[in-house]
Amino acid sequence: MADPSQISRLDKLRITREYLAYQLQRTDTVIRELAAQEERNRHRAEQARADQGWKIQPKRGEAPPVLHRGGCATYRAKDGILLDRVQARLAVTHETYIVMCEICAPQSDLQDG
């Protein structure tokens, strides 16, 4: 190997640039991984929050409104309002006719607590 004092300034700068490019590439990879992890965590938190709530599927034609658990796959309304237990109980009590979803069975969790 050549004596380090014999390496030209240009070669030293090229080596430094190559090392910095490597570090930048590694940093970009870590940033992408962390951003993906944060997105997964955000999605899990949103899903957990939805699973704890209820949603009312609006009346469709002759079909009555349907009460679902927030995470029910039968009714996934992105713009729907997520209800807490008290709000869902009030809706069921005061609405003339709300059908309970047969898939997610929201009534069992409404009766608890």
Side-chain angles (χ1 to χ4, degrees):
M1 178 169 195
D3 180 12
S5 61
Q6 299 300 320
I7 299 175
S8 73
R9 184 165 183 243
L10 178 60
D11 287 338
K12 288 179 184 178
L13 288 173
R14 285 181 176 150
I15 292 168
T16 301
R17 183 182 184 289
E18 188 175 319
Y19 174 74
L20 291 174
Y22 167 76
Q23 289 292 61
L24 179 60
Q25 181 183 13
R26 286 192 58 198
T27 301
D28 286 344
T29 299
V30 170
I31 288 171
R32 280 191 302 276
E33 290 170 356
L34 289 175
Q37 181 65 40
E38 283 184 5
E39 179 61 25
R40 287 189 299 272
N41 290 344
R42 184 192 61 75
H43 179 72
R44 275 195 291 268
E46 285 177 6
Q47 187 62 45
R49 182 177 163 272
D51 289 345
Q52 296 302 310
W54 289 264
K55 282 190 175 184
I56 297 177
Q57 180 179 354
K59 180 178 176 178
R60 291 188 193 170
E62 296 298 317
V66 180
L67 182 67
H68 296 272
R69 282 308 310 243
C72 181
T74 305
Y75 179 59
R76 293 226 186 254
K78 297 280 185 193
D79 56 351
I81 297 171
L82 198 60
L83 307 174
D84 62 23
R85 176 177 278 128
V86 173
Q87 293 168 325
R89 282 182 181 165
L90 284 172
V92 170
T93 304
H94 295 306
E95 182 66 36
T96 56
Y97 187 59
I98 290 183
V99 176
M100 302 296 161
C101 174
E102 294 177 7
I103 305 299
C104 65
Q107 67 275 14
S108 62
D109 290 328
L110 275 178
Q111 295 166 356
D112 297 340

